């Protein structure tokens, strides 16, 4: 597949790095330093304006996908519109634009085909939605939804004092509508069987019906989340506060820019907005940060977010969640004491992977950075596993069919389950075997 990536910043570079081994990649950026870094990959690099029609006409020959990922909404939108005009004879060509301005998008992912954009994504809104989802389940450190919200994936940490330590998977007492899909133990990924033991500090991934997940969360310790402090009143902070205002949580926002803090206060009804610096110890003490159930630091500086969260943790906050714009920082932040580090880049990567993996994929999410993926496939009439019993399907080692959704039913697929057309199947997989998994559904 030939893919044009406009923008060689953190998002564009990481996506190019993820895709270049199996695709023909062209990267366009005006910044010479960004181009120089991208040039270290085996990709074609062009220094210039990605919305320039003359540049686009040259590189679009034979292209299948254009990703406009700069930090400028207007450049991204114009690039997609121009590209569609140039490629109007191609029905299979796709475009994707990253945007941040709420005037252009009011939800994390949208379609704007009328203006030439097949997928429009706002990473900041996606990040806020993910954090709100995590906060909806006590003790969770990650959360994703599938099958139009019917199914949830939750990731938990098994604490040393948990009653689950040294228990076999088969003995933890999950509901029939839930399954343990994976254990992350250090750098090791375990596709669990009933006789596998759970160890302290394991990260355990459970997939199940949405209605059952709140009860399951009590297995991992009860953590109240009645009070929350958000540090940073930017797009993420504002949207997160709006989502949390629909719950019974008491919320405070600290924002250091006076104009922005006034604007945020005007948009919120139940949130206390404070003008100040999230690293100001006296302010944090005055506002009772040590009594907070959760502190979420979502400024536009990874270093500031880390500092704010560690200060809050030191002062007694029960749980801290941090935004990490640099994707590689996520595991590092969690190593030094952050309960959950989340990246706005992850949603963008997931949408790009859906576009590059072909048809039949309804949803895709990465877990633990990019150590594993969960993909929602729809069974077509032509799928190789259509009509087969699960026990007769040779899923590659490192993958497992975790859940089946058909009509309004959700099923943990046992060996005698017969796959049917229109079934939605959630598959947990390590990235290296995902191409082999995909072949089963074609």
């Amino acid at each position: 597949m030939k893919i044009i990536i406009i923008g060689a910043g953190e998002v564009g570079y990481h996506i190019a790095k993820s895709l270049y081994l199996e695709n023909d990649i062209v990267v366009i950026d005006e910044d010479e330093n960004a181009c120089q870094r991208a040039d270290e990959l085996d990709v074609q690099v062009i220094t210039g304006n990605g919305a320039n029609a003359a540049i686009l006409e040259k590189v679009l020959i034979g292209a299948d996908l254009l990703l406009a990922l700069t930090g400028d909404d207007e450049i991204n939108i114009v690039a997609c519109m121009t590209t569609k005009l140039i490629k109007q004879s191609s029905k299979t060509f796709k475009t994707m634009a990253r945007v941040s301005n709420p005037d252009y998008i009011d939800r994390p992912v949208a379609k704007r085909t009328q203006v030439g954009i097949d997928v429009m994504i706002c990473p900041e809104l996606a990040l806020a939605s993910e954090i709100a989802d995590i906060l909806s389940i006590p003790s969770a450190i990650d959360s994703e939804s599938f099958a139009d919200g019917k199914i949830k994936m939750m990731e938990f940490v098994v604490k040393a004092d948990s009653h689950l330590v040294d228990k076999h998977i088969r003995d933890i007492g999950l509901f029939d509508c839930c399954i343990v899909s994976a254990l992350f133990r250090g750098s090791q990924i375990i596709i669990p069987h009933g006789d596998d033991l759970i160890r302290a500090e394991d990260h355990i991934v459970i997939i199940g019906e949405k209605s059952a997940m709140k009860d399951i969360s009590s297995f991992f310790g009860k953590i109240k989340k009645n009070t929350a402090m958000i540090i940073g009143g930017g797009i993420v902070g504002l949207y997160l506060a709006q989502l949390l205002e629909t719950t019974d949580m008491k919320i405070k926002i600290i924002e250091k820019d006076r104009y922005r803090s006034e604007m945020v206060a005007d948009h919120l009804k139940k949130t206390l907005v404070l003008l100040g610096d999230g690293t100001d110890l006296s302010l944090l003490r005055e506002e009772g940060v040590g009594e907070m159930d959760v502190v979420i630091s979502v400024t536009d500086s990874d270093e500031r977010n880390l500092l704010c969260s560690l200060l809050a943790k030191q002062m007694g906050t029960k749980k801290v969640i941090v935004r990490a714009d640099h994707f590689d920082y996520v595991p590092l932040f969690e190593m030094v004491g952050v309960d959950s580090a989340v990246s706005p880049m992850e949603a963008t990567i997931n949408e790009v992977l859906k576009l590059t993996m072909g048809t039949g994929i309804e949803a895709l999410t990465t877990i633990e950075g990019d150590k594993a993926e969960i993909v929602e496939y729809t069974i077509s009439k032509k799928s190789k596993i259509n009509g087969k019993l699960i026990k007769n399907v040779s899923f590659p080692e490192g993958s497992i069919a975790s859940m089946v959704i058909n009509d309004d039913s959700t099923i943990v697929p046992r060996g005698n389950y017969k796959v049917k057309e229109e079934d939605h199947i959630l598959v947990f997989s390590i990235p290296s075997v995902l191409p082999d998994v995909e072949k089963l559904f074609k």
Side-chain angles (χ1 to χ4, degrees), residues 74-93:
E74 284 71 26
I75 285 179
N76 295 338
I77 292 169
V78 170
C80 289
M81 294 172 69
T82 304
T83 298
K84 279 289 188 174
L85 289 172
I86 294 170
K87 296 280 288 186
Q88 56 186 317
S89 60
S90 174
K91 294 181 180 179
T92 58
F93 183 83

Side-chain angles (χ1 to χ4, degrees), residues 321-377:
I321 298 174
V322 170
R323 167 185 178 173
D325 284 336
H326 288 75
F327 199 60
D328 296 336
Y329 285 3
V330 170
L332 298 178
F333 282 8
E334 292 178 353
M335 283 173 59
V336 298
V338 170
D339 294 296
S340 183
V342 286
S343 172
M345 193 190 301
E346 189 170 329
T348 308
I349 292 171
N350 292 341
E351 289 301 318
V352 170
L353 290 175
K354 280 171 62 178
L355 289 172
T356 58
M357 288 177 65
T359 58
I361 297 173
E362 300 295 326
L364 185 151
T365 189
T366 54
I367 311 173
E368 290 279 311
D370 53 4
K371 290 181 183 175
E373 292 167 358
I374 296 177
V375 186
E376 179 186 344
Y377 293 97

Side-chain angles (χ1 to χ4, degrees), residues 131 135 225-232 237 240-241 244 249-255 271-272 274 277-280 282-298 308-309 312 315 317 319-322:
I131 294 172
L135 294 177
K225 292 206 184 78
N226 294 327
T227 56
M229 179 179 285
I230 301 169
I231 298 175
L240 175 59
L244 296 182
M249 294 186 74
K250 295 179 180 178
I251 313 153
K252 295 180 181 180
I253 287 185
I254 297 178
E255 168 54 45
T271 300
L272 176 62
L274 303 164
D277 190 328
T279 62
D280 184 339
S282 59
L283 175 62
L284 293 177
R285 287 195 188 99
E286 276 180 31
E287 296 304 326
V289 71
E291 304 300 317
M292 289 288 163
D293 296 317
V294 61
V295 169
I296 310 110
S297 191
V298 289
C308 292
S309 67
M315 296 171 77
T317 302
K319 186 167 186 173
V320 293
I321 298 174
V322 170

Side-chain angles (χ1 to χ4, degrees), residues 101-371:
N101 191 331
D103 290 340
Y104 297 134
I105 188 169
D106 58 358
R107 56 187 184 275
V109 181
K111 292 183 178 180
R112 296 288 186 271
T113 52
Q114 68 272 28
V115 292
I117 303 171
D118 294 293
V119 178
M120 181 179 278
I121 182 165
C122 180
E124 292 83 1
L125 297 191
L127 179 66
S129 297
E130 181 182 353
I131 294 172
D133 221 14
I134 292 171
L135 294 177
S136 71
I137 302 290
S139 69
I141 64 165
D142 197 2
S143 172
E144 293 289 345
S145 296
F146 298 91
D148 296 324
K150 298 186 184 77
I151 300 296
K152 266 193 176 292
M153 180 283 294
M154 306 297 300
E155 182 179 351
F156 304 91
V157 177
V158 180
K159 299 298 184 183
D161 58 355
S162 170
H163 71 283
L164 297 176
V165 174
D166 293 331
K167 271 195 173 184
H168 291 97
I169 293 287
R170 62 171 173 265
D171 295 330
I172 65 176
L174 283 182
F175 300 107
D176 289 341
C177 61
C178 301
I179 185 173
V180 176
S181 286
L183 293 174
F184 292 93
R185 185 171 296 159
S187 60
Q188 186 181 9
I189 303 173
I190 301 168
I191 304 292
H193 301 86
D195 55 356
D196 282 317
L197 287 172
I198 297 172
R199 303 294 189 193
E201 300 307 317
D202 278 355
H203 286 214
I204 185 168
V205 176
I206 298 177
I207 296 177
E209 278 187 10
K210 180 181 179 181
S211 58
M213 297 306 284
K214 287 191 177 181
D215 294 326
I216 285 172
S217 68
S218 63
F219 291 12
F220 300 91
K222 293 184 177 179
I223 299 176
K224 284 195 314 172
K225 292 206 184 78
N226 294 327
T227 56
M229 179 179 285
I230 301 169
I231 298 175
I235 295 172
V236 178
L238 174 58
Y239 191 65
L240 175 59
Q242 289 173 329
L243 293 174
L244 296 182
E245 281 193 336
T246 63
T247 71
D248 58 357
M249 294 186 74
K250 295 179 180 178
I251 313 153
K252 295 180 181 180
I253 287 185
I254 297 178
E255 168 54 45
K256 65 178 182 178
D257 181 81
R258 179 176 295 277
Y259 173 78
R260 181 69 188 181
S261 65
E262 291 173 354
M263 190 275 285
V264 168
D266 288 340
H267 279 76
L268 297 172
K269 298 176 181 177
K270 299 189 293 182
T271 300
L272 176 62
V273 181
L274 303 164
L275 176 64
D277 190 328
T279 62
D280 184 339
L281 287 174
S282 59
L283 175 62
L284 293 177
R285 287 195 188 99
E286 276 180 31
E287 296 304 326
V289 71
E291 304 300 317
M292 289 288 163
D293 296 317
V294 61
V295 169
I296 310 110
S297 191
V298 289
T299 75
D300 58 3
S301 165
D302 288 357
E303 293 76 14
R304 179 174 290 273
N305 289 336
L306 178 61
L307 178 58
C308 292
S309 67
L310 294 181
L311 286 174
K313 197 79 168 176
Q314 187 68 30
M315 296 171 77
T317 302
K318 299 176 183 66
K319 186 167 186 173
V320 293
I321 298 174
V322 170
R323 167 185 178 173
D325 284 336
H326 288 75
F327 199 60
D328 296 336
Y329 285 3
V330 170
L332 298 178
F333 282 8
E334 292 178 353
M335 283 173 59
V336 298
V338 170
D339 294 296
S340 183
V342 286
S343 172
M345 193 190 301
E346 189 170 329
T348 308
I349 292 171
N350 292 341
E351 289 301 318
V352 170
L353 290 175
K354 280 171 62 178
L355 289 172
T356 58
M357 288 177 65
T359 58
I361 297 173
E362 300 295 326
L364 185 151
T365 189
T366 54
I367 311 173
E368 290 279 311
D370 53 4
K371 290 181 183 175

